[in-house]
Amino acid sequence: DTAGKYELSADLTGDHKLDNSYTSINFSGVLDGNGHEIEIERTLSTVTASYNGGLFNELSSKGEIKNLVVSGYFNVPGADAGKTIGGIVGRVTTSTAQISNVINNLSVNASNANYVGGIVGDTWGKITNSLSTGSVTAKAYGGGIAGQVSASGIEFKGLVNRGAISAPSAGGIFGIARYVFSITDSYNSGSLTGTRAFGIFALLFCVGKAFLN
């Protein structure tokens, strides 16, 4: 049931990790990791979906991911410029979906995809109290937390990136933000490599302004 409620009672690592035999799904339920870890070691040479994530392709409706640790790698050489790639979720599609208390130690390499994020490729929903330490490589916009913010009125809080970001537009937290949003108690300490490389977002393209604290 992709809309159900699930809790982890143990780590999914080693022999239980998610490898190339796992296929990401769209999810609209609740996943509570209870502090447990999911290890992902996946390489996608062929990509057909527009949004691709190491765990879920899309998080929609009132979907929620919380209290989860993710490690390993998600390599997507088969993604073209039109694809959006996230280490955990490809795209958060609604403002009612959210991610909180997540630690991402997963590296994401999608050097042919435009929008790539350590946790989420593109988000319309809230992300709070989360850390990313994995590296991110993108063709255009790379962010430690999200490659792109696509909706207005979203509140982000307590976001930290310590991973290396490599993209023409490299943002410690977001690669590109297209609308008005607020972000507080957040910072980047990871290395940034790109033509536009800034600690919070590489490119702000919106009517109004981002409210930073």
Side-chain angles (χ1 to χ4, degrees):
D1 181 2
T2 59
K5 294 183 178 181
Y6 303 92
E7 294 187 15
L8 293 185
S9 59
D11 295 342
L12 297 178
T13 59
D15 292 341
H16 303 289
K17 68 175 178 282
L18 304 185
D19 55 21
N20 289 337
S21 65
Y22 173 78
T23 300
S24 299
I25 60 173
N26 296 337
F27 186 67
S28 59
V30 177
L31 174 61
D32 187 343
N34 283 322
H36 290 292
E37 177 182 352
I38 295 179
E39 182 181 6
I40 298 172
E41 293 187 354
R42 300 181 62 204
T43 298
L44 300 184
S45 298
T46 302
V47 175
T48 56
S50 296
Y51 307 101
N52 297 269
L55 189 59
F56 300 123
N57 285 342
E58 297 184 22
L59 183 68
S60 61
S61 187
K62 294 183 179 180
E64 184 177 2
I65 300 171
K66 59 185 178 181
N67 308 322
L68 181 66
V69 179
V70 177
S71 64
Y73 61 81
F74 187 42
N75 296 331
V76 197
D80 58 32
K83 302 299 188 291
T84 298
I85 309 297
I88 299 176
V89 178
R91 188 190 197 199
V92 178
T93 66
T94 60
S95 61
T96 52
Q98 61 181 311
I99 296 173
S100 62
N101 300 314
V102 164
I103 298 174
N104 174 57
N105 299 320
L106 178 90
S107 63
V108 186
N109 183 4
S111 57
N112 296 317
N114 276 345
Y115 306 103
V116 184
I119 294 178
V120 180
D122 175 36
T123 187
W124 291 65
K126 183 167 62 174
I127 307 172
T128 58
N129 301 322
S130 295
L131 164 69
S132 185
T133 69
S135 62
V136 172
T137 304
K139 179 181 177 67
Y141 304 99
I145 302 299
Q148 177 173 234
V149 177
S150 289
S152 62
I154 306 175
E155 296 181 1
F156 300 100
K157 183 177 181 179
L159 304 179
V160 176
N161 175 64
R162 296 176 183 161
I165 314 299
S166 179
S169 294
I173 305 299
F174 308 124
I176 181 172
R178 296 188 179 275
Y179 297 94
V180 176
F181 66 95
S182 68
I183 179 169
T184 58
D185 303 327
S186 301
Y187 69 91
N188 169 70
S189 62
S191 64
L192 305 174
T193 303
T195 305
R196 292 181 293 268
F198 299 96
I200 300 297
F201 42 74
L203 184 61
L204 178 63
F205 182 75
C206 64
V207 179
K209 62 182 179 180
F211 299 95
L212 305 177
N213 182 15

